[in-house]
């Protein structure tokens, strides 16, 4: 496919090369799971899904995947090709998983709206158990970011039709929640009440990022660290980066606090 402009240039001709570079770097990390945040393809074709599946599984870690808007078949408006990547070591949305004690992971799916190209978030049934922390993995953001992005001169690629409903429901829980999303091709982080909202920059567009998110729990305290790694440096005038590439936060039982560094010490 040909490259096109979004925040900067979406380098589709080198997409597989960038994917391999990201996975090569991640291979040197200690991973409990590899998360794919959607837009695994450009046109929802089976061949592209197969390439991503093969390379992701080669990393050796369990794979968790949510679909993006580009993963919806442009004609049938279905996710049938995306759903074929599900397997013994690949979990796809909608799902509620517990890979670590006390940490619940929610994978948000997509559904179509009648007679429209707009999409809504489809969520799994929630557990009656209250985890120490919940991770929400979603292609689309949960917080409203359009006004801030457009004010800074960057593009916003649309929200879920039920974005506000999802945000409202998450706020009602008596649980700290970490939301990790893609879609907007920006790198950002925000605290909003009990929500820690991490926007992940794209791999196929500058600054070509992959991310490590660490969650540690001890004595009611929850530490979250994120490190974003750029696999290729392009000379561009403006990068959609609004937060440090290394950050850390702590939940003390009441609120999230940013430490501003990925190095945390316990007292």
């Amino acid at each position: 496919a040909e490259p096109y402009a979004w925040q900067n240039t979406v380098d589709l001709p080198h997409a597989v090369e960038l994917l391999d570079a990201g996975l090569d770097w991640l291979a040197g990390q200690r991973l409990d799971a590899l998360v794919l945040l959607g837009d695994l393809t450009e046109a929802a074709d089976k061949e592209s899904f197969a390439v991503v599946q093969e390379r992701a599984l080669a990393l050796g870690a369990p794979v968790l995947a949510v679909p993006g808007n580009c993963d919806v078949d442009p004609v049938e408006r279905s996710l049938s090709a995306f759903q074929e990547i599900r397997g013994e070591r690949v979990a796809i949305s909608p799902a509620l998983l517990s890979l670590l004690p006390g940490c619940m992971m929610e994978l948000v799916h997509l559904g179509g709206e009648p007679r429209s190209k707009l999409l809504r978030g489809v969520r799994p049934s929630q557990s009656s158990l209250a985890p120490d922390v919940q991770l929400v993995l979603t292609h689309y953001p949960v917080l409203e970011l359009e006004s801030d992005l457009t004010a800074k001169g960057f593009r916003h690629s649309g929200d879920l039709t039920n974005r506000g409903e999802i945000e409202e429901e998450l706020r009602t829980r008596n649980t700290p929640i970490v939301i990790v999303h893609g879609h907007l091709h920006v790198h950002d982080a925000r605290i909003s009440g009990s929500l820690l909202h991490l926007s992940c920059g794209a791999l196929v567009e500058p600054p070509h990022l992959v991310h490590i998110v660490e969650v540690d729990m001890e004595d009611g305290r929850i530490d979250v660290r994120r490190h974003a790694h750029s696999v290729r440096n392009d000379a561009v005038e403006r990068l959609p980066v609004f937060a440090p590439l290394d950050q850390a936060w702590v939940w003390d039982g009441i609120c999230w606090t940013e430490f501003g560094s990925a190095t945390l010490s316990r007292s």
Side-chain angles (χ1 to χ4, degrees):
E2 293 298 318
Y4 65 90
W6 187 245
Q7 310 297 2
N8 286 289
T9 298
V10 178
D11 191 4
L12 292 176
H14 295 97
V16 174
E17 175 185 311
L18 289 163
L19 175 61
D20 286 341
L23 293 173
D24 285 347
W25 182 79
L26 288 171
Q29 314 300 312
R30 295 177 58 189
L31 300 182
D32 293 296
L34 171 67
V35 175
L36 306 176
L37 287 174
D39 282 359
L40 312 184
T41 69
E42 181 63 18
D45 58 296
K46 292 183 178 181
E47 295 80 8
S48 294
F49 281 119
V51 169
V52 175
Q53 180 188 39
E54 177 186 9
R55 283 166 162 77
L57 286 172
L59 201 60
V63 178
L64 312 179
V66 300
N69 50 295
C70 291
D71 299 322
V72 179
D73 187 284
V75 177
E76 299 178 0
R77 303 301 298 164
S78 76
L79 285 163
S80 57
F82 167 79
Q83 290 166 337
E84 288 187 13
I85 71 172
R86 179 195 286 116
E88 182 179 350
R89 292 166 51 211
V90 181
I92 67 169
S93 56
L96 198 64
L97 309 170
S98 181
L99 297 185
L100 302 170
C103 180
M104 193 72 71
M105 305 180 75
E106 175 183 338
L107 280 62
V108 179
H109 202 57
L110 296 178
E113 295 287 10
R115 297 176 297 280
S116 170
K117 290 187 177 182
L118 298 177
L119 296 167
R120 58 185 171 83
V122 178
R123 303 174 61 206
S125 300
Q126 299 299 306
S127 170
S128 59
L129 301 176
D132 297 324
V133 62
Q134 180 152 342
L135 271 63
V136 176
L137 308 175
T138 168
H139 180 67
Y140 282 81
V142 170
L143 296 183
E144 190 281 310
L145 302 178
E146 183 173 6
S147 56
D148 280 359
L149 282 183
T150 54
K152 293 173 181 175
F154 289 93
R155 304 173 74 175
H156 187 280
S157 41
D159 283 323
L160 295 169
T161 58
N162 59 340
R163 180 205 62 78
E165 298 171 21
I166 294 174
E167 177 186 355
E168 182 178 0
E169 195 281 328
L170 290 175
R171 290 188 186 279
T172 63
R173 299 189 190 174
N174 190 28
T175 300
I177 296 174
V178 181
I179 299 159
V180 188
H181 79 90
H183 187 52
L184 301 180
H185 293 207
V186 303
H187 178 84
D188 197 10
R190 302 188 180 207
I191 293 172
S192 182
S194 61
L195 309 182
L196 174 59
H197 194 264
L198 305 182
S199 305
C200 293
L203 181 58
V204 76
E205 179 181 348
H208 303 295
L209 297 178
V210 288
H211 306 255
I212 292 286
V213 177
E214 300 177 65
V215 180
D216 293 318
M217 295 169 285
E218 184 177 320
D219 299 329
R221 169 173 162 157
I222 301 166
D223 291 340
V224 176
R225 305 173 180 87
R226 176 173 67 165
H227 172 66
H229 173 75
S230 177
V231 303
R232 194 179 84 190
N233 295 318
D234 293 359
V236 298
E237 185 175 343
R238 292 201 312 159
L239 287 173
V241 174
F242 311 119
L245 297 186
D246 290 278
Q247 278 182 291
W249 303 265
V250 63
W251 173 267
D252 60 7
I254 300 175
C255 63
W256 290 105
T257 302
E258 179 188 349
F259 277 74
S261 166
T263 301
L264 289 177
S265 61
R266 297 185 182 276
S267 58

